[in-house]
Structures are given as C-alpha cells and as structure tokens.
Amino acid sequence: MRLNFLAGFLVATVCLAVAMPSAAAEQRAQTIGQQREGVLFWTQAQREARFPRMYELFPSDRAAHGTHVHALPQGRPLAVAGKDASAWLAGYMDRYHVAGVMVLQNGRVRLQRYAKGFGPEQRWTSFSVAKSVTSALLGIALQQGYIHSMDDTLGTYIPELRNSAYADVTVQQLLTMTSGVRWNEDYADARSDVAQMYLGACVGGRAHVLSYLMKMPRQWPAGTHWNYNTAETDLLGILVQRATHRSLAAYLSQTLWQPYGMASDAYWIKDECDGSDTGGSGLSATLGDYARLGQFMLDGGRIGGRPVIAGAWLQGAVRRQTGVDEPDRGYGYLWWTDTDGSYAAIGIFGQMVYVDPARKLVIAQVAAWPQATGKALVQARREFVAAVKHAVDDGGRPVSP
C-alpha cells in the first residue's frame, strides 16, 4: 500500500540479526536514521507522549520567534445546531486521537480544543507538513534572489548532482515531484527506496538522501510523471540551505517566524550526516503557530502588506500543477490542492494545515492517528473539514462528522 503522506519517517522493516539485551541497548546501537525509521513502530501511548517531544529526541535546530506576536483574537464560536458542541468535537478528537484543532476565519479563532495532555504552549511534530514549509522557504528565497529561477537545474545549486539523473531536473520539477527519477515509495516493501534511504552509512559528509539519490536512474522524462518521493523534499531542503547559506530553521526564523509574529520557537530535526535540516519532515511547532502559517498563506504571503514570497511561486504553489493518485485532488508546489480552490499541507498521523480562500478559513490539526494513514482516517479528516465548512456556510452550526 502506498502511503503518500509520509514525510521522511519511514516504516522500519529491517529486523536486527542479533537480539539486544534491552530496549535501551538497542536504542544505543541504532543510528539516528534507524531511530527515525522506528517512529512508525511506536505504540499509541508512545506516539502521544513523544510527538510533542520530537525535537528533544532527535538533534534539532531552533527557529526562534521574535518579540512581536501576530494576534489571533477570539471570534464568534462555531455552534452545533441541536447538539452539544463540546461533545461533538470531543467525540471526533477521541476517536481519531486528535491532540488539537484550531479554526480561524477572517483571522479570528472560531474553534479551539486541546486533548491528550497537549496544550497551547507545547509543540507537535508536523511530518509532511514540513514539505509545504520548505516549499514556502523556496518561494521566499526566490523572492530574495538566492534562487534565480524555478527553471534552474538542480546541479546549479548542488554540484554533486551534475553527473546524476538529477543533473537537468529543474527546481519546478522538484517542487511538483515530477523529476522522472526512479523511486519506490512502497512502505510495505523492505527493499523499497523509501525504506532504505536513511539506513546507509554517512559518506563524504553528505546528507543521507543526497548520497542515496545520486545513484538513482531515470525512469520517465522529467516533467511527465508525478511520483511521490519523500527524499526529494529533503533534497529541496538541501537546495534552499545551499542557496541561502543558512539552515532551514535559521532561514525560517529570519524570514517568516519572527517577521510574521509566530508566538513560540519552532524546531527542525537535522540529518545525522551533514547537519542539514531535513526538508521533508521534522518541523515541530505549536498548534497556534501552525494556524498562523495557514493565515500567512491566506494573506497571500504578505507581512505588513509587503509580499515576501515570489508571485510566480505563490501562483503555482496552491494550484494544481499535476494529477495525483486521487482523481479529485491535485498537487501544486508541495501543497495538496482541491477542486474548490482550497489547499493543504498534509502529514501522516493526522497533521494538517488547511486553507480555504473562498471562506477566509484556516484549519489546523495535530494528531497521533493509530497508523500513518489509511482511507478511513483520511475520510474522517475530510468529513471534519466538511463539517467546519458547513458550519461557516450555515452561519456557525456544524453538523456532526
């Protein structure tokens, strides 16, 4: 089964040949990459306890917030027609192990709830939501001139790729996952690329994914075939870091986290081989700051009325650039798109930043689903989003999802 929302935390399918005497000894024997893969083997209790602490469990860089905070004033609460609103929301969150939800409309909080011991001051890991943030940082770097054009080839910024299948792949093709380079994202196959990319030894001071991708052959002409590839979003993160000469966390802090007014520091997990932040996963932030991220996108990538993201990026990022495995959805620049003009950053285990421009709506959710993804879980999240939209359209009365 393909798990298209995996953000670099892989299904650990490699068994140890020799049993270790204790869990602690096994942990010490594993590399950081192997430990990251093991995240999907955590029990439900471990997920709920550790997702708020990922930046403490793995080496991470801090994205500092500033003194200015973008206010999220209270708006008119969403009410349930003929139902107990609290019970309705609590039932959804309990069934699907949701730790927090926040709904903004017109920049005001219309719904907010925390559960499972999680609170407003705590951070939660985002998994593939980080992909969309890395993409936004690319858009900012394009605006600032660190990246000259989305038609630039990857070898322009990452010389190690010049003799690989990625040599002539463009930045835009990387953003849309249409590189055409062969990649197997089958998480049920222990031999798949996605199950192997972090397992190798560090070579030449290069990030895991760079060493791995340098060897991959071409399968399709570039730009002709969409193929979800977690490693390529790590590669995009390397590109941004090479171009800006800063870590993703530092660049995030300087260009977005502080200027826009995020309320708390964020953290980004680092690759063990070169110390770069992994662009496809590993970002931890508060629920409120995830909602602010969605509001930043809804505001058109503007801070203080000034655009900070290149217009060419913004126009393409949130509009369908290529088809995906689902007929009613599309893919922009590492943002998932819907036919009604809404778009979302999506991560496994239930993470989401959803933006609906028509309703001036942002929905942020953090969760610890009992599995990385699945049809029933995805459908439940879609029904929750639909219920919120219905509430807005109906003057504030959502129906039960």
Side-chain angles (χ1 to χ4, degrees):
M1 179 180 69
R2 293 176 60 87
L3 303 181
N4 282 342
F5 303 141
L6 188 62
F9 291 86
L10 316 174
V11 174
T13 53
V14 179
C15 298
L16 295 176
V18 180
M20 301 303 293
S22 69
E26 180 177 325
Q27 181 81 357
R28 288 194 298 270
Q30 291 180 324
T31 66
I32 298 297
Q34 290 168 339
Q35 291 175 38
R36 289 182 70 172
E37 291 180 0
V39 169
L40 288 183
F41 271 141
W42 287 352
T43 65
Q44 186 64 35
Q46 288 172 326
R47 283 191 289 270
E48 293 177 10
R50 296 175 182 177
F51 282 1
R53 299 180 52 241
M54 295 293 278
Y55 62 98
E56 298 174 342
L57 301 175
F58 297 97
S60 302
D61 284 327
R62 180 172 70 104
H65 74 295
T67 56
H68 160 69
V69 175
H70 183 102
L72 297 178
Q74 184 65 47
R76 183 166 59 89
L78 289 176
V80 182
K83 297 180 182 295
D84 183 332
S86 179
W88 164 75
L89 187 57
Y92 167 74
M93 296 178 72
D94 183 64
R95 284 194 301 275
Y96 301 105
H97 304 275
V98 175
V101 295
M102 183 178 289
V103 175
L104 307 180
Q105 190 185 26
N106 294 311
R108 294 179 174 271
V109 178
R110 299 202 60 191
L111 182 67
Q112 181 177 193
R113 175 67 70 89
Y114 294 88
K116 302 191 178 300
F118 183 61
E121 305 302 318
Q122 292 176 282
R123 299 167 187 87
W124 197 275
T125 193
S126 60
F127 295 98
S128 283
V129 170
K131 289 178 170 63
S132 303
V133 178
T134 300
S135 179
L137 292 179
L138 182 286
I140 294 173
L142 185 66
Q143 175 77 353
Q144 294 184 342
Y146 290 109
I147 294 169
H148 306 298
S149 168
M150 286 189 289
D151 292 327
D152 287 349
T153 60
L154 303 188
T156 303
Y157 302 94
I158 308 175
E160 298 94 321
L161 297 177
R162 289 175 182 169
N163 293 319
S164 75
Y166 284 95
D168 296 324
V169 172
T170 68
V171 173
Q172 186 173 29
Q173 289 162 352
L174 196 65
L175 284 168
T176 55
M177 292 195 182
T178 59
S179 72
V181 176
R182 192 186 72 191
W183 184 261
N184 181 354
E185 188 98 356
D186 185 350
Y187 298 95
D189 182 357
R191 298 167 297 179
S192 70
D193 299 306
V194 75
Q196 295 290 321
M197 67 180 193
Y198 286 155
L199 292 180
C202 297
V203 178
R206 295 189 297 265
H208 274 302
V209 294
L210 186 53
S211 295
Y212 197 91
L213 292 175
M214 286 167 60
K215 302 178 293 184
M216 300 303 294
R218 175 161 300 285
Q219 186 170 4
W220 303 281
T224 65
H225 186 91
W226 183 81
N227 187 38
Y228 197 89
N229 185 329
T230 293
E232 288 186 350
T233 52
D234 279 3
L235 191 62
L236 184 71
I238 293 170
L239 188 155
V240 172
Q241 290 168 98
R242 295 276 186 94
T244 63
H245 307 287
R246 279 164 279 187
S247 69
L248 291 179
Y251 196 53
L252 177 68
S253 174
Q254 295 164 10
T255 63
L256 178 54
W257 228 245
Q258 292 192 41
Y260 192 72
M262 302 306 184
S264 302
D265 294 345
Y267 289 86
W268 214 313
I269 293 176
K270 303 191 291 186
D271 181 86
E272 65 183 310
C273 296
D274 72 344
S276 63
D277 299 336
T278 53
S281 62
L283 177 66
S284 291
T286 65
L287 179 65
D289 284 343
Y290 286 130
R292 288 181 177 91
L293 173 67
Q295 188 65 41
F296 167 76
M297 292 295 294
L298 185 60
D299 291 344
R302 294 175 176 271
I303 298 177
R306 180 178 61 88
V308 299
I309 289 184
W313 178 89
L314 190 61
Q315 292 300 312
V318 300
R319 290 172 174 78
R320 175 179 170 140
Q321 301 295 320
T322 183
V324 297
D325 293 342
E326 303 169 70
D328 59 336
R329 306 187 73 198
Y331 207 62
Y333 295 158
L334 303 183
W335 289 79
W336 297 87
T337 65
D338 287 331
T339 54
D340 68 352
S342 59
Y343 53 92
I346 298 290
I348 57 167
F349 292 111
Q351 322 318 319
M352 176 184 69
V353 177
Y354 185 91
V355 182
D356 181 352
R359 295 176 174 85
K360 295 180 170 46
L361 187 68
V362 172
I363 306 172
Q365 173 178 295
V366 295
W369 281 355
Q371 62 190 69
T373 190
K375 289 184 178 180
L377 294 166
V378 171
Q379 182 61 28
R381 182 173 58 197
R382 290 182 178 178
E383 290 174 355
F384 172 69
V385 170
V388 171
K389 288 184 171 185
H390 181 89
V392 170
D393 293 344
D394 198 35
R397 302 189 301 273
V399 295
S400 177

